[in-house]
Amino acid sequence: MMQDHLVVSDDSNHPANMVCSLSRQFYEKEWCVGTGGSIAIRDEETGFCYLAPSGVQKELLKPQDLFVLDGNSKEQDVYLRKPAGLKLSDCTPIFQMLFQNFNAGAIIHTHSPNAVLTSLLYDDVFEISHIEQIKALPSERVNAETGKPVNLLFEDTLKIPIIDNQNFEYELTDGLQEMCQKWPHGCAVLVRRHGIFVWGPSITKAKIYNESIDYLLGLAIKMHQLGIPTVKKN
Amino acid sequence: MMQDHLVVSDDSNHPANMVCSLSRQFYEKEWCVGTGGSIAIRDEETGFCYLAPSGVQKELLKPQDLFVLDGNSKEQDVYLRKPAGLKLSDCTPIFQMLFQNFNAGAIIHTHSPNAVLTSLLYDDVFEISHIEQIKALPSERVNAETGKPVNLLFEDTLKIPIIDNQNFEYELTDGLQEMCQKWPHGCAVLVRRHGIFVWGPSITKAKIYNESIDYLLGLAIKMHQLGIPTVKKN
Amino acid sequence: MMQDHLVVSDDSNHPANMVCSLSRQFYEKEWCVGTGGSIAIRDEETGFCYLAPSGVQKELLKPQDLFVLDGNSKEQDVYLRKPAGLKLSDCTPIFQMLFQNFNAGAIIHTHSPNAVLTSLLYDDVFEISHIEQIKALPSERVNAETGKPVNLLFEDTLKIPIIDNQNFEYELTDGLQEMCQKWPHGCAVLVRRHGIFVWGPSITKAKIYNESIDYLLGLAIKMHQLGIPTVKKN
Amino acid sequence: MMQDHLVVSDDSNHPANMVCSLSRQFYEKEWCVGTGGSIAIRDEETGFCYLAPSGVQKELLKPQDLFVLDGNSKEQDVYLRKPAGLKLSDCTPIFQMLFQNFNAGAIIHTHSPNAVLTSLLYDDVFEISHIEQIKALPSERVNAETGKPVNLLFEDTLKIPIIDNQNFEYELTDGLQEMCQKWPHGCAVLVRRHGIFVWGPSITKAKIYNESIDYLLGLAIKMHQLGIPTVKKN
């Protein structure tokens, strides 16, 4: 069941190519070293989900290494493609939950050092306000016409919930789902002493959210070191 | 109105190519992540202004994504080229003001973390003196013969005004203009909790100013952490 | 005795090519600047050992610069290939000891700044617990069936012994051997004020261990600066 | 007087190519931003000296931009090649002094932030001991047979003198010469609030010295922040 045609494409924007090129880029940022981290993309047109395997050096990922799951099926585990000799990511139940219940088009999971450090500086929620870059992230408000979330304003406060880590990644699924229900327009959850999950309606949005959040987490750590609160009192 | 001939060129120094290659370079420096930041160049020969669009991943920018504005026209908004499906940068009024009133040949806007952090450590003006790199930046003095500003000396003090951020970038136009009038030979304004605008008579000069300033801001933050004042008393 | 066929191959996974490409990558990370650091790989199939020479810029290493040692021989110094004009690494006795006595398939030695700084913050053992990335590293436990070490769990504590530096690298051999006997399933030893040795059953494993450890050392230094202990009390 | 044949070569080790490739590399390290820094190489065979011009973006340097000076001439300023429209580096008198009086084969001048910060943390001399990387640098001792300096041992102390900056780079010549006379086997002088000059018998040695020193300066700053003295009492 190799089904290579599902993952081999000349188009650099094909989900299989995007998983690989972004994994390489994230490795360079030290977000995915030592086989850590994972990316999953649901193709909007076909509903097929492309998943990185477990325990593989992310900077060396090839399209042929990817699992493809039928995202249209009601059943959880209908695989259209299973690469020989590779294991599914432990994050797969989390990815499926986000695809099915929260309309995610793509999910990025990293071990970003900024995420790990921030999770040690805040209790239940990371908060930052009055920084221009938060305008790249969705708010809890929706556009009256489209029903889609609008982005944060400069004076808003970005909030990202933090959940405690578990021994196995699949054990994080319930905790993440609970946070998604509590923050229905959120796009990220920090996992204490572990890293972060970021998602969006498309891989482009998820990537923009992820790098904007990492920029803000890095800034927050430096503000902490300089004694500057990350939420500004008006 | 695609007018591709205005932006397609084999010359790597063509303004449209420079906007794209520098955007990629600035993304790598984490100055323009999450679609942030923007570059605008006025072609000295033709007077045409090349503007990056809004909300686009800056590292993926292509010449075909650029707006071209007729910088020779007295009217503000004569577009020679509008790429389909893209929006003008919110910074456009700022770019136009700097092109028209202050003879800028190019403007660089970034969300540099060093700029954001510095804007939190200083009140109205960032100041640094007695660092060799300030010699890459223009002073308030002009050459008696040419009337052009001469660069700072080692013992001079570089001053960059800081203005407060607004909810929308176009709302920064007046504040920036005021600072340009107060510092007629300046080349930069910091925007608190947002980033920086840097300009110069050409894109080469603007790039040299921008990277020299970022080097100095980075140094200033570390000097602050080490308890060393950035302005040396003689 | 050039024996170029031992080191020239089109296969990017050939040990000679891996030593060179990883050396280049490690130079970029500032782990191997100024000719520092070294990589050695034992080819599982042939038993031949590929060793980087001494005093050479690691980012410029070519396959033709490598020594090849017969790892099948009972005698210590049976060289199948000695490149003209180059010297063996001072680490060679350490590499041989790890190949012969501890079944190493590959060894990475770097002057990582994170390793040097950590060796100044801890006495005899570096310890960190409750960080997801430690799951990429082997524990002291073995799989009952295979007898191979299993990886650490999130709640485990990673321990890396620290030995004092000596004037010459070969003088570190006994100290390293002692630590390997004490921690038979360990994969790394820190050398105070010097750097780190990391090994594994293959170069892929050694690389994954090395970059995971460096990630953890970097995190530990920042946790130290933020006043957060690296071992969490339950 | 273009004399392009002096600078155009297919050999990546040709001095003109080395000046350009290293300038690009140093720019990436933030050692030569905003046109700062300079490299000069004396070809051992011909005695010709290759000098980078002033005020040029170092990452864009082309062989055709280089000045070539006849290093065999007793007179100071015999130029074999002067590129049209470019100015000699202000460092030229320093380079000539080091070539003529101290047998330098190559000189590297950078505005390394680590050099600037270190020059603010130490008075007259930067000192560090008991760090493995200092073994990449020459000591004050010479080999009894060859008369050439031998490298530092682990337990030695690396000392780099610091001189005060002047308004113009050529004014540093006397201060640098004085330090070279005082430390005849030294390979570097720090210039306070400015950067560093590093030299060696060849460009390879100078590059190795420069990057080893920068590694040590970076380490020293972090040791300072962690409260660890850079010279270890035995």
Side-chain angles (χ1 to χ4, degrees), chain C residues 3 10 23-24 37 47 84 94 113 168 180-181 183 195 231-232:
Chain C
Q3 301 282 28
D10 285 340
S23 292
R24 217 162 25 241
I94 299 172
F168 300 99
C180 292
Q181 282 156 349
W183 271 278
V231 175
K232 191 185 159 209

Side-chain angles (χ1 to χ4, degrees), chain C residues 19-25 27-28 32 35 53 55-66 86, chain D residues 12-13 18 21-22 25 203-204 207-208 211:
Chain C
V19 168
C20 298
S21 60
L22 287 177
S23 292
R24 217 162 25 241
Q25 188 180 327
Y27 175 81
E28 299 296 328
C32 292
T35 81
V56 166
Q57 295 177 81
K58 291 302 179 287
E59 77 277 21
L60 302 182
L61 211 59
K62 298 183 306 293
Q64 287 85 345
D65 298 333
L66 301 194
L86 291 172
Chain D
S12 63
N13 289 316
M18 288 297 282
S21 59
L22 288 177
Q25 188 179 328
I203 182 61
T204 295
K207 173 196 167 277
I208 290 169
E211 70 192 24

Side-chain angles (χ1 to χ4, degrees), chain D residues 149-169:
Chain D
V150 295
N151 276 9
L152 291 163
L153 295 176
F154 171 66
E155 294 182 351
D156 285 334
T157 298
L158 169 71
K159 298 183 186 197
I160 302 176
I162 306 173
I163 62 173
D164 282 327
N165 198 27
Q166 304 295 331
N167 264 317
F168 300 99
E169 278 176 324

Side-chain angles (χ1 to χ4, degrees), chain B residues 131 219 223 228, chain D residues 115-122 162 192-193:
Chain B
I131 299 289
L219 214 50
M223 289 170 77
I228 301 164
Chain D
V116 173
L117 287 169
T118 309
S119 79
L120 293 164
L121 295 174
Y122 291 79
I162 306 173
R192 191 164 351 258
R193 297 174 169 274

Side-chain angles (χ1 to χ4, degrees), chain D residues 51-55 67 69 77 79 82 86-92:
Chain D
L51 307 171
S54 172
F67 287 79
L69 184 77
D77 297 306
Y79 284 91
K82 286 189 183 183
L86 291 171
K87 278 194 317 170
L88 265 176
S89 165
D90 266 5
C91 298
T92 305

Side-chain angles (χ1 to χ4, degrees), chain C residues 27 30 33-35 57 59 111-113 116-117 120-121 165-169 192-194 224-225, chain D residues 25 129-133 135-136 153-155 204 207-208 211-212 215 219 222-223 226 228 232:
Chain C
Y27 175 81
E30 215 183 3
V33 300
T35 81
Q57 295 177 81
E59 77 277 21
H111 293 181
S112 155
V116 174
L117 287 169
L120 294 164
L121 294 175
N165 198 26
Q166 304 294 332
N167 264 317
F168 300 99
E169 278 177 324
R192 192 165 348 260
R193 296 172 169 275
H194 179 155
H224 183 95
Q225 289 176 320
Chain D
Q25 188 179 328
S129 79
H130 293 81
I131 299 289
E132 182 72 8
Q133 193 68 37
K135 290 166 65 176
L153 295 176
F154 171 66
E155 294 182 351
T204 295
K207 173 196 167 277
I208 290 169
E211 70 192 24
S212 295
Y215 167 102
L219 214 49
K222 287 188 186 123
M223 289 170 77
L226 294 164
I228 302 164
K232 191 186 159 210

Side-chain angles (χ1 to χ4, degrees), chain B residues 19-99:
Chain B
V19 168
C20 298
S21 59
L22 287 177
S23 291
R24 218 161 27 239
Q25 188 180 328
F26 292 177
Y27 175 80
E28 299 296 328
K29 303 283 286 180
E30 216 183 1
W31 293 341
C32 292
V33 300
T35 81
S38 202
I39 299 176
I41 300 178
R42 186 183 191 279
D43 189 310
E44 213 179 342
E45 227 172 288
T46 61
F48 297 167
C49 301
Y50 297 79
L51 307 171
S54 173
V56 166
Q57 294 178 80
K58 290 303 179 288
E59 76 278 22
L60 302 182
L61 211 58
K62 298 184 306 294
Q64 287 84 345
D65 298 334
L66 302 194
F67 287 80
V68 183
L69 183 77
D70 187 354
N72 304 302
S73 172
K74 292 276 180 232
E75 291 168 69
Q76 282 261 334
D77 296 307
V78 180
Y79 284 91
L80 304 175
R81 182 171 197 277
K82 286 190 184 183
L86 291 171
K87 277 195 316 170
L88 264 176
S89 166
D90 267 3
C91 297
T92 305
I94 297 172
F95 294 159
Q96 287 183 313
M97 180 271 289
L98 287 164
F99 283 139

